Amino acid sequence: MIQVTFITNAGKVVSVPENSNLLRTSIREQGGIPFKCGGGICGTCKCKIEQGLEHTDAIKPKERKHLTDEQFRLGYRMACQTFVNGNIAVSWEPRKTAAVTAAAAPASAETANVATESPVNAG
């Protein structure tokens, strides 16, 4: 088993088998890497391999559509396209959440109801 450290998520460390997809690991283990499509189309899962870049697989063509050669040299990858074969530490730019956006804007009755609705009743 190898270790993946999610630096931006308070340094959370998880163990995964070799050749694990970084985004799938993040989703399964609640690592926190942001994503939308999960398939290399949107570029949302851009992250930086801070340690262990040599333990990632080859850069994919889909990554080249979103990242520059300079970003690759600095350790940036797209989590959905990256498979890990040794210990790594990864960071990313935190996304602004709806809660942060809502806190900055005046609350309406509709947003207040959504915020207090329980997950059982949501849907």
Side-chain angles (χ1 to χ4, degrees), residues 16-31:
V16 297
E18 283 191 32
N19 204 33
S20 291
N21 176 272
L22 183 54
L23 181 59
R24 287 187 211 128
T25 296
S26 177
I27 293 168
R28 183 176 50 254
E29 302 291 342
Q30 298 179 344

Side-chain angles (χ1 to χ4, degrees), residues 18-114:
E18 283 191 32
N19 204 33
S20 291
N21 176 272
L22 183 54
L23 181 59
R24 287 187 211 128
T25 296
S26 177
I27 293 168
R28 183 176 50 254
E29 302 291 342
Q30 298 179 344
I33 297 174
F35 71 98
K36 286 185 182 178
C37 75
I41 297 169
C42 72
T44 304
C45 65
K46 174 182 147 186
C47 57
K48 185 175 183 184
I49 309 299
E50 301 280 357
Q51 296 174 343
L53 183 60
E54 68 276 13
H55 299 299
T56 60
D57 64 340
I59 296 166
K60 313 291 186 314
K62 288 182 179 179
E63 291 180 280
R64 294 197 180 280
K65 293 180 181 179
H66 296 282
L67 301 170
T68 65
D69 286 339
E70 179 63 18
Q71 287 173 313
F72 290 127
R73 277 192 289 283
L74 294 172
Y76 286 93
R77 295 291 303 267
M78 288 175 53
C80 70
Q81 300 296 302
T82 303
F83 289 80
V84 297
N85 295 301
N87 297 344
I88 68 161
V90 60
S91 68
W92 58 91
E93 288 290 321
R95 287 178 50 194
K96 293 184 182 187
T97 63
V100 171
T101 305
S108 68
E110 183 178 314
T111 57
N113 288 339
V114 170

